[in-house]
């Protein structure tokens, strides 16, 4: 089977992507409006970029009317956000925060998620996440225009947080995080069936 994306509806392209780019880590992104209302939502078009500078990125898409997501609106206005890692323990609450609440609704309160202060940015962190990144906006790359277009938000990490019990002399074991990944539809993957594959060396 071969398919030219140009011959497909946007929805069908999206379905192909979410069923084949797997599993996707989930950035649970916290922002704050200029007048101080917190916002929290998950994004699985998410990854790290590099460690110099330490950077992460995620992609909020516009809705079918071309309207920006609340997360993007807040980041454009305040230039700050936190990314909180999603695991088996906080998955249910993460999912609750993905509902299309109106701008100005505080998903921390609405969904019973615990907001704790950040050190260097105004947006809160999620107490239920084992790992959080405090970010300042590095760049927004517009990918397409209008309805369903993407916005790649690149953040520079200016403070890293993790629970004390998972941190050991600069190292964290993935087994202690119980991270989950998003699959297609309402499916998620656990990360407890990992295997090791040492990198080859050239003599
Ligand atoms: C696990 C998960 C991953 C998601 N990933 C994305 C994504 O990568 N991009 C996106 O635009 N929406 C994504 N969504 C949908 C947003 O979370 C949803 O539109 C949310 O209402 C946006 O909130 P906001 O308007 O407060 O920013 C995802 C939802 C879930 C449950």
């Amino acid at each position: 089977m071969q398919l030219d994306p140009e011959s497909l509806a946007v929805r069908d392209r999206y379905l192909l992507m979410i069923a084949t780019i797997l599993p996707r880590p989930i950035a649970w992104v916290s922002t704050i409006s200029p007048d101080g209302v917190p916002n929290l939502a998950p994004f699985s078009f998410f990854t790290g970029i590099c460690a110099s500078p330490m950077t992460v990125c995620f992609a909020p898409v516009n809705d079918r009317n071309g309207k920006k997501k609340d997360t993007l609106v807040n980041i454009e206005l305040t230039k700050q956000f936190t990314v909180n890692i999603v695991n088996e323990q906080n998955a249910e609450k993460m999912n609750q925060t993905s509902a299309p609440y109106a701008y100005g609704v505080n998903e921390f309160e609405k969904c019973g998620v615990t907001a704790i202060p950040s050190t260097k940015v105004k947006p809160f962190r999620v107490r239920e996440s084992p790992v959080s990144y405090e970010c300042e906006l590095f760049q927004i790359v517009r990918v397409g225009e209008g309805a369903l277009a993407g916005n790649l938000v690149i953040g520079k990490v200016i403070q890293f947080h993790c629970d004390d019990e998972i941190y050991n002399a600069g190292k964290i074991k993935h087994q202690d995080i119980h991270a989950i990944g998003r699959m297609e539809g309402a499916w998620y993957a656990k990360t407890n069936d990992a295997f090791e594959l040492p990198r080859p060396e050239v003599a």
Side-chain angles (χ1 to χ4, degrees):
M1 175 62 70
Q2 300 183 37
L3 298 161
D4 178 346
E6 292 298 322
S7 71
L8 300 174
V10 177
R11 168 108 193 127
D12 293 329
R13 295 178 207 156
Y14 170 72
L15 291 177
L16 291 178
M17 291 176 82
I18 61 167
T20 56
I21 302 172
L22 302 167
R24 298 184 303 285
I26 304 166
W28 206 2
V29 179
S30 154
T31 57
I32 198 160
S33 68
D35 54 357
V37 182
N39 192 88
L40 182 64
F43 296 89
S44 68
F45 282 13
F46 158 58
T47 194
I49 303 175
C50 65
S52 181
M54 191 174 184
T55 37
V56 294
C57 64
F58 70 99
V61 298
N62 300 338
D63 74 10
R64 58 179 69 87
N65 300 313
K67 188 170 162 284
K68 294 171 183 171
K69 300 220 164 157
D70 301 344
T71 298
L72 180 64
V73 172
N74 283 346
I75 292 172
E76 287 178 347
L77 293 170
T78 67
K79 322 282 186 221
Q80 294 184 336
F81 58 97
T82 73
V83 170
N84 303 274
I85 295 303
V86 177
N87 66 5
E88 291 173 43
Q89 288 83 359
N90 64 33
E92 178 57 40
K93 284 192 174 177
M94 171 282 295
N95 192 39
Q96 295 301 319
T97 64
S98 74
Y101 293 113
Y103 187 70
V105 171
N106 176 350
E107 286 91 355
F108 281 98
E109 274 178 16
K110 199 84 188 166
C111 305
V113 181
T114 317
I116 51 173
S118 294
T119 317
K120 295 183 178 167
V121 299
K122 280 193 184 159
F124 292 97
R125 296 186 293 121
V126 170
R127 174 59 273 184
E128 291 84 349
S129 285
V131 174
S132 303
Y133 297 90
E134 293 186 29
C135 299
E136 67 183 18
L137 179 62
F138 183 86
Q139 195 179 340
I140 298 175
V141 179
R142 309 290 176 189
V143 183
E145 267 177 33
L148 304 175
N151 307 270
L152 184 68
V153 177
I154 302 174
K156 180 177 173 189
V157 180
I158 56 172
Q159 195 80 337
F160 176 86
H161 299 258
C162 67
D163 290 344
D164 290 342
E165 51 275 21
I166 66 171
Y167 184 85
N168 185 10
K171 294 205 172 142
I172 296 173
K173 289 199 285 180
H174 73 266
Q175 293 92 334
D176 292 338
I177 294 186
H178 301 278
I180 60 163
R182 183 152 192 226
M183 310 293 275
E184 92 275 26
W187 288 91
Y188 291 85
K190 296 179 181 177
T191 50
N192 58 359
D193 62 349
F195 63 96
E196 272 190 294
L197 208 50
R199 290 277 293 272
E201 285 178 22
V202 176

